Amino acid sequence: MTRKKILGSHVKRLLSGVSVHGRRHLTEVEADLLQTELLLEEAIDKLTGSFVAVHAVVGARQEAIDRMLAGGTLSLEDRALLGSMSDDVSEHVNTAITSMQFQDLTAQLIERTLRRVAGLRDFLGTLNDHGEGITPEHGSDEIVDRLGQVSVALAIQSLQLRSKLRRSVEQKHLESGDVELF
């Protein structure tokens, strides 16, 4: 194989590796951001539902209290309803608090996304640092050696980044009753 072909082969392999590495991390960044968006939407839906339910329970309780203040008598059904309303409000508030755990998940996703972006930036910086020393005046053997060094450095960096990012995002669920507000 001629020196020109060897050099071309090394450049092709290097550029292909950089492209694969960059695309893989950008795809993961995109997936993490989409997951973050879904978590936020789900949490907002749950929070909205919980607050609407609390509002309905408080409104029903107020109606019963208004009837009582107006001199009306409470039926056995009204009395039972008033008794269970505190439990209903507590349950809805617990659901709202549990759904606010999205903050922990989104913080983990954002941290992982930032690590990916920083890793990709470092990866490209390594490529730049090694590439700065290559000039057209260098012989093809020296350029092949430098490209080999770049490839090894980038492979090590890629493995280190992947091992740091391997862990998944975990949600810790509170069981109903874990939070007592009333």
Side-chain angles (χ1 to χ4, degrees), residues 57-122:
V57 170
V58 169
R61 184 178 217 172
Q62 187 61 47
E63 288 174 11
I65 291 171
D66 289 345
R67 280 194 304 274
M68 208 169 59
L69 290 174
T73 59
L74 294 177
S75 66
L76 290 175
E77 194 175 286
D78 284 338
R79 290 172 194 245
L81 188 61
L82 279 172
S84 70
M85 285 181 183
S86 289
D87 291 339
D88 291 344
V89 168
S90 183
E91 181 181 326
H92 295 306
V93 170
N94 282 334
T95 300
I97 289 171
T98 301
S99 68
M100 286 192 298
Q101 290 178 346
F102 77 91
Q103 189 277 334
D104 178 52
L105 291 173
T106 55
Q108 290 178 55
L109 284 167
I110 289 169
E111 177 185 342
R112 188 168 70 182
T113 300
L114 290 172
R115 283 186 183 177
R116 281 194 190 285
V117 170
L120 187 55
R121 182 193 60 234
D122 293 345

Side-chain angles (χ1 to χ4, degrees), residues 9-171:
S9 172
H10 275 71
V11 169
K12 180 181 176 183
R13 187 176 17 186
L14 178 64
L15 292 175
S16 177
V18 169
S19 174
V20 166
H21 179 83
R23 290 172 68 111
R24 182 181 323 124
H25 283 288
L26 290 175
T27 298
E28 291 295 326
V29 165
E30 182 180 28
D32 285 350
L33 291 174
L34 288 171
Q35 187 177 1
T36 301
E37 180 181 38
L38 291 173
L39 285 169
L40 289 171
E41 286 176 13
E42 180 183 334
I44 289 168
D45 288 346
K46 286 181 180 180
L47 285 168
T48 300
S50 294
F51 290 125
V52 166
V54 166
H55 178 72
V57 170
V58 169
R61 184 178 217 172
Q62 187 61 47
E63 288 174 11
I65 291 171
D66 289 345
R67 280 194 304 274
M68 208 169 59
L69 290 174
T73 59
L74 294 177
S75 66
L76 290 175
E77 194 175 286
D78 284 338
R79 290 172 194 245
L81 188 61
L82 279 172
S84 70
M85 285 181 183
S86 289
D87 291 339
D88 291 344
V89 168
S90 183
E91 181 181 326
H92 295 306
V93 170
N94 282 334
T95 300
I97 289 171
T98 301
S99 68
M100 286 192 298
Q101 290 178 346
F102 77 91
Q103 189 277 334
D104 178 52
L105 291 173
T106 55
Q108 290 178 55
L109 284 167
I110 289 169
E111 177 185 342
R112 188 168 70 182
T113 300
L114 290 172
R115 283 186 183 177
R116 281 194 190 285
V117 170
L120 187 55
R121 182 193 60 234
D122 293 345
F123 188 85
L124 294 172
T126 297
L127 182 61
N128 182 60
D129 293 345
H130 281 82
E132 282 182 351
I134 299 175
T135 64
E137 291 79 33
H138 285 107
S140 55
D141 287 342
E142 188 177 349
I143 292 173
V144 167
D145 286 343
R146 286 182 181 253
L147 290 174
Q149 292 171 2
V150 171
S151 293
V152 168
L154 293 176
I156 291 169
Q157 218 171 357
S158 181
L159 288 172
Q160 289 172 338
L161 181 59
R162 264 190 268 156
S163 71
K164 286 181 191 176
L165 298 171
R166 210 163 274 189
R167 71 176 176 84
S168 63
V169 174
E170 297 177 13
Q171 181 174 10

